Amino acid sequence: IPPLSLKLGQKLSEGKTKQIFELVDESGLVLVQSKDQITAGNAVRKDQMEGKAAIANKTTSCVFKLLQESGIKTAYVKQHSDTAFIAAHCEMIPIEWVCRRVATGSFLKRNPGVKEGFRFSPLKMEMFFKDDANNDPQWSEEQLLEAKFSLAGLTIGQCEVDIMNRSTVAIFEILEKSWATQNCTLVDMKIEFGVNVKTQEIVLADVIDNDSWRLWPAGDRSQQKDKQVYRDLKEVTPEAMQMVKRNFEWVSERVKLLLEHQAGGRVVVLMGSTSDVAHCEKIRKACTSYGIPCILRVTSAHKGPDETLRIKAEYEGDGIPTVFVAVAGRSNGLGPVMSGNTAYPVINCPPLTPDWGAQDVWSSLRMPSGLGCSTILSPEAAAQFAAQIFGLTDHLVWCKLRASMLNTWVSLKLADKKLQACSL
Ligand SMILES: Nc1ncnc2c1ncn2[C@@H]1O[C@H](COP(=O)(O)OP(=O)(O)OP(=O)(O)O)[C@@H](O)[C@H]1O
Ligand SMILES: *[C@@H]1O[C@H](CO)[C@@H](O)[C@H](O)[C@H]1NC(C)=O
Ligand SMILES: *[C@@H]1O[C@H](CO)[C@@H](O)[C@H](O)[C@H]1NC(C)=O
Ligand SMILES: *[C@@H]1O[C@H](CO)[C@@H](O)[C@H](O)[C@H]1NC(C)=O
Ligand SMILES: CC(=O)N[C@H]1CO[C@H](CO)[C@@H](O)[C@@H]1O
Ligand SMILES: [Mg+2]
């Protein structure tokens, strides 16, 4: 991460809303500087809006931080100033990927008969070739493949197209889930990808600000807070521009809240004996990767049931939502006893041994009636299941799970591509 005083190199490009500068001492990074100008309809309308760049900065940096912390690969590195951030230098793929949950805007024009408000599940994907002279025509997947773009040495083929398509869906779902915490419907979104010149990876690049999406508070179009408000202005008066600015400020205030946990929670791992501590540490490590605090305790339901129940009461007593994980070898009394005595979820994660494992596992599986504990053998998977429980109410945990699913899918895709290339 470069120091605060940056030596700017040559200007690599300049568009309607930003300038990109090379950084002299930081190869592979660029400075993305936004301009105080707002445009609509491919710059047919152009108005200066004081302070816009700073507000846009906040929006972009919070959104990229949210995506980055979730595990999405982006070009964003860090904020540099009020109006500029540092990013990985990318060669941009000249495609706008559009993802829609609710039909509105240009979709209605292109699909007459579809009413505004039609909901897409699964999400609707569209792509547009970035070509101002021709008003950014819609493209099919085949058109993109036939264009055979090559950027930073990477040819955009089927694998790359699939990765961008999948990534767009995941990014939309993460932002949608996050905005839902603010009672805001993410109606649609457009994003761009670039190829990182150093790693040749496809990453989310450019910016995400309110020019990039439609946001309807409480799902109500009349309360829209995005740039559509500006496009819809009949006349650009100082009062109208004030309203547009207030809306943008509304977004940039709310966007900070997207980074905050909605609900606290914790995992408490109970182990029957310290001989299982290594197994338990694996659970704790995986919980930490989801941002979930995890506490380890030693207690045996066979040898100290009074103590087991006292520890249980400790965690029931402070109101923090808790998932218990029971780690007990041989006969697992711990999980079932906990499950029969608490309304919180209990996951059995017995450390099975090769000699008796096949027999021992039954003490975690076959329960008296009325018990609802689950059993997961892998410590990482037990933590993942706990995260899925917290993800129901905490969007930040959900976002990490969602990004991880995407990243796994992408790794498989790339592994297959590599193997195919070798066997040719
Ligand atoms: N991380 C990055 N590395 C290199 N170039 C970038 C990066 N992020 C954005 N750019 C490019 O910077 C240029 C200026 O951005 P700007 O959004 O102002 O352009 P624009 O006038 O809107 O044109 P466009 O229609 O391409 O978006 C764009 O070509 C954009 O793709
Ligand atoms: C994205 O993928 C979906 C599902 O595979 C496919 O139906 C759709 O046509 C793709 N969209 C684009 C724009 O490539
Ligand atoms: C969202 O709406 C619900 C119900 O209308 C309300 O209770 C809640 O406070 C709202 N949340 C926010 C962040 O506005
Ligand atoms: C998007 O969001 C901010 C407010 O959060 C606003 O100031 C900025 O101008 C918007 N960006 C564009 C390109 O309209
Ligand atoms: C003026 C302004 O809002 N600057 C902000 C740009 O974004 C970073 C990261 O969120 C903030 O720390 C700055 O205050
Ligand atoms: Mg642009």
Side-chain angles (χ1 to χ4, degrees), residues 54-55 57-59 61-62 65 76 79-84 256 259:
I55 306 169
N57 142 49
K58 240 189 286 182
T59 307
S61 62
C62 286
K65 214 162 146 211
Y76 182 85
Q79 198 62 42
H80 172 63
S81 70
D82 284 1
T83 59
K256 280 184 278 186
L259 292 163

Side-chain angles (χ1 to χ4, degrees), residues 210-374:
N210 49 16
D211 189 17
S212 312
W213 57 31
R214 285 190 175 87
L215 277 173
W216 295 355
D220 177 2
R221 182 191 153 135
S222 68
Q223 297 180 46
Q224 61 189 348
K225 295 290 182 197
D226 49 74
K227 208 177 91 170
Q228 196 58 32
V229 175
Y230 170 74
R231 292 193 198 94
D232 290 350
L233 289 182
K234 292 203 176 62
E235 196 185 341
V236 180
T237 62
E239 296 74 39
M241 284 308 279
Q242 273 309 308
M243 183 191 70
V244 172
K245 191 173 168 188
R246 269 201 309 278
N247 279 342
F248 286 175
E249 275 161 357
W250 183 95
V251 173
S252 75
E253 283 312 306
R254 294 278 172 313
V255 84
K256 280 184 278 186
L257 302 175
L258 304 186
L259 292 163
E260 289 172 12
H261 284 279
Q262 293 297 300
R266 73 181 155 215
V267 168
V268 175
V269 179
L270 305 176
M271 68 191 101
S273 139
T274 47
S275 61
D276 299 328
V277 77
H279 187 81
C280 297
E281 285 295 354
K282 288 183 191 160
I283 300 175
R284 171 147 70 186
K285 189 169 167 223
C287 285
T288 306
S289 76
Y290 294 112
I292 303 167
C294 177
I295 300 156
L296 308 189
R297 301 293 299 260
V298 181
T299 184
S300 162
H302 291 124
K303 300 173 214 170
D306 54 332
E307 193 57 12
T308 302
L309 295 178
R310 196 196 58 72
I311 290 174
K312 175 191 76 91
E314 211 179 288
Y315 295 108
E316 285 174 334
D318 63 8
I320 298 175
T322 301
V323 171
F324 289 107
V325 179
V327 175
R330 301 194 188 181
S331 169
N332 173 21
L334 196 52
V337 164
M338 287 296 292
S339 184
N341 290 277
T342 182
Y344 282 138
V346 176
I347 303 169
N348 297 307
C349 186
L352 298 181
T353 52
D355 51 355
W356 284 93
Q359 288 75 29
D360 291 348
V361 72
W362 287 104
S363 64
S364 294
L365 296 178
R366 177 105 176 121
M367 291 295 128
S369 64
L371 268 60
C373 45
S374 64

Side-chain angles (χ1 to χ4, degrees), residues 97 125-127 139-141 161-162 165-166:
W97 288 86
M125 289 291 308
E126 293 176 328
M127 65 169 113
W139 264 18
S140 64
E141 203 174 283
V161 173
D162 290 345
N165 187 333
R166 281 282 179 143

Side-chain angles (χ1 to χ4, degrees), residues 35-264:
K35 307 200 280 191
D36 269 349
Q37 192 178 68
I38 178 165
T39 60
N42 265 334
V44 182
R45 286 179 80 161
K46 204 191 263 187
D47 301 286
Q48 292 297 122
M49 186 167 123
E50 208 189 322
K52 174 193 166 266
I55 306 169
N57 142 49
K58 240 189 286 182
T59 307
T60 292
S61 62
C62 286
V63 169
F64 273 76
K65 214 162 146 211
L66 171 70
L67 292 170
Q68 198 95 293
E69 282 173 12
S70 300
I72 297 286
K73 296 204 166 83
T74 79
Y76 182 85
V77 175
K78 68 169 203 162
Q79 198 62 42
H80 172 63
S81 70
D82 284 1
T83 59
F85 64 89
I86 297 164
H89 183 194
C90 296
E91 284 193 16
M92 298 297 295
I93 301 163
I95 295 288
E96 263 179 12
W97 288 86
V98 173
C99 188
R100 304 174 181 275
R101 176 67 80 194
V102 179
T104 188
S106 74
F107 184 89
L108 301 178
K109 291 200 192 102
R110 282 179 288 111
N111 296 270
V114 179
K115 289 192 191 61
E116 175 157 81
F118 183 96
R119 272 185 82 80
F120 302 106
S121 303
L123 292 160
K124 175 62 94 190
M125 289 291 308
E126 293 176 328
M127 65 169 113
F128 297 86
F129 175 48
K130 287 174 66 81
D131 177 11
D132 280 357
N134 290 301
N135 272 317
D136 298 349
Q138 186 174 14
W139 264 18
S140 64
E141 203 174 283
E142 292 74 21
Q143 283 175 291
L144 174 52
L145 290 172
E146 290 290 8
K148 296 192 170 65
F149 289 123
S150 179
L151 299 148
L154 181 74
T155 303
I156 306 303
Q158 188 67 56
C159 172
E160 290 69 28
V161 173
D162 290 345
I163 288 173
M164 288 189 276
N165 187 333
R166 281 282 179 143
S167 300
T168 305
V169 170
I171 290 163
F172 185 96
E173 289 180 1
I174 285 172
L175 296 177
E176 176 183 51
K177 190 66 98 182
S178 302
W179 275 111
T181 66
Q182 305 304 313
N183 287 347
C184 235
T185 300
L186 182 61
V187 170
D188 50 31
M189 170 195 90
K190 62 172 187 209
I191 56 174
E192 294 171 33
F193 294 89
V195 180
N196 183 321
V197 297
K198 278 224 154 142
T199 64
Q200 283 203 336
E201 263 182 320
I202 292 186
V203 295
L204 174 68
D206 205 57
V207 299
I208 295 187
D209 56 19
N210 49 16
D211 189 17
S212 312
W213 57 31
R214 285 190 175 87
L215 277 173
W216 295 355
D220 177 2
R221 182 191 153 135
S222 68
Q223 297 180 46
Q224 61 189 348
K225 295 290 182 197
D226 49 74
K227 208 177 91 170
Q228 196 58 32
V229 175
Y230 170 74
R231 292 193 198 94
D232 290 350
L233 289 182
K234 292 203 176 62
E235 196 185 341
V236 180
T237 62
E239 296 74 39
M241 284 308 279
Q242 273 309 308
M243 183 191 70
V244 172
K245 191 173 168 188
R246 269 201 309 278
N247 279 342
F248 286 175
E249 275 161 357
W250 183 95
V251 173
S252 75
E253 283 312 306
R254 294 278 172 313
V255 84
K256 280 184 278 186
L257 302 175
L258 304 186
L259 292 163
E260 289 172 12
H261 284 279
Q262 293 297 300

Side-chain angles (χ1 to χ4, degrees), residues 375-393:
T375 296
I376 298 176
L377 300 183
S378 138
E380 290 78 18
Q384 184 177 343
F385 187 58
Q388 285 165 342
I389 294 172
F390 290 120
L392 293 171
T393 47

